Amino acid sequence: MKAKYKYINLNKKIYKVKIKKNLRAKRIILRISNISPYIYLTIPKNENEKNAIDFLLRNKEWVLNELKRIPKKILFLNNSEIPYMGVTHRIVYAGEYTNLIYIYDKKIMVFGKKEEISKNLKNWFYHKAKIEILNIAKLKVGFLNKKYNKVKIKDLKSSWGTCGENGNLSFSWRLILAPKHVMEYIVVHELCHLVELNHSKKFWRLVTDLFPQKKLSQDWLKTNGTYLHIFD
């Protein structure tokens, strides 16, 4: 069912609320995003939106406390510290002499227009992520006797990667911020969906065969995954 959006005033601040009916829902479910100030309401098919909003308002204090817990964004600006392949680097703006980005001594050296640091750096991360992910995919897919179709790098919000029935793979550009083993695990995970488009025991055995240290990466993402979303 198609979602609807409402705007609500909580303590003199406007928040966007996404309301969606779910045929399997037996009660109103209130959820706050852990990466951005978005409020989600899932309601049963016969429930009305007014009751859902009233439910939200009755839980106003909980909502506000959860919203306070969302980490502040760290912008791609001169002197900002950000991770690259799991290692903290400092962004250093080096002037307008040319359009160039490179890494030197745990510094990300950025040339170009100062007002375009964020845009240029994000494009660079997309490019680097695709190179690394393609290298892993080409290496690992041979063990499955399968072929993938297209590989796209996106700004995924609710997953680190996806695999479609048509063999198209999508990955979050933010994987370039994480340690290499995390990226490798996600790529292997999605490649295994070319064989098993589910999360059955057979699927997980396949993942383990290709990437025995998967728990290390799963634990890292469980602890640090939200952290990767604060960079922008």
Side-chain angles (χ1 to χ4, degrees), residues 130 133-134 137 148-153 167-171:
K130 188 159 190 176
I133 286 169
L134 281 173
Y148 53 81
N149 191 15
K150 296 177 182 178
V151 173
K152 294 184 179 180
I153 307 301
N168 286 343
L169 305 175
S170 296
F171 297 96

Side-chain angles (χ1 to χ4, degrees), residues 68-201:
K68 286 178 185 176
R69 294 173 57 185
I70 298 169
K72 291 183 179 180
K73 293 284 187 181
I74 295 178
L75 302 179
F76 294 151
L77 299 172
N78 188 39
N79 287 320
S80 291
E81 292 192 341
I82 61 175
Y84 175 76
M85 301 291 280
V87 178
T88 300
H89 289 66
R90 184 164 62 90
I91 298 171
V92 177
Y93 176 65
E96 294 189 14
Y97 317 113
T98 183
N99 284 316
L100 178 66
I101 298 176
Y102 67 90
I103 289 179
Y104 172 75
D105 193 27
K106 295 185 181 178
K107 298 182 184 70
I108 302 178
M109 309 299 295
V110 182
F111 291 85
K113 293 181 179 179
K114 195 168 187 178
E115 63 271 22
E116 294 183 353
I117 290 176
S118 179
K119 182 188 76 173
N120 291 340
L121 196 51
K122 188 173 284 189
N123 288 339
W124 186 76
F125 279 137
Y126 270 71
H127 177 67
K128 288 292 185 180
K130 188 159 190 176
I131 290 173
E132 295 290 340
I133 286 169
L134 281 173
N135 286 340
I136 297 169
K138 288 173 183 176
L139 179 66
K140 296 290 185 178
V141 75
F143 294 101
L144 298 171
N145 292 318
K146 289 282 185 176
K147 291 183 178 180
Y148 53 81
N149 191 15
K150 296 177 182 178
V151 173
K152 294 184 179 180
I153 307 301
K154 298 182 176 181
D155 191 11
L156 301 177
K157 302 296 185 184
S158 58
S159 66
W160 299 109
T162 64
C163 175
E165 292 182 3
N166 58 1
N168 286 343
L169 305 175
S170 296
F171 297 96
S172 169
W173 70 267
R174 297 178 189 274
L175 290 172
I176 198 66
L177 308 177
K180 182 72 172 286
H181 69 86
V182 174
M183 178 187 285
E184 188 172 354
Y185 161 66
I186 296 297
V187 174
V188 167
H189 183 115
E190 300 309 327
L191 287 175
C192 287
H193 280 312
L194 295 172
V195 180
E196 294 289 329
L197 202 59
N198 53 54
H199 289 102
S200 62
K201 289 182 179 179

Side-chain angles (χ1 to χ4, degrees), residues 19-68:
I19 304 174
K20 188 171 184 179
K21 291 194 173 185
N22 188 307
L23 296 176
R24 293 181 294 179
K26 293 182 172 28
R27 58 186 174 82
I28 298 172
I29 300 170
L30 174 60
R31 185 172 66 85
I32 310 299
S33 169
N34 60 357
I35 62 173
S36 54
Y38 296 146
I39 303 171
Y40 301 93
L41 280 167
T42 301
I43 61 177
K45 63 177 181 178
N46 295 321
E47 189 61 85
N48 63 59
E49 295 171 17
K50 183 181 181 303
N51 287 342
I53 294 295
D54 288 344
F55 178 78
L56 188 160
L57 293 174
R58 288 198 301 273
N59 291 277
K60 173 183 170 181
E61 294 306 316
W62 177 85
V63 170
L64 290 172
N65 285 333
E66 289 298 303
L67 289 168
K68 286 178 185 176

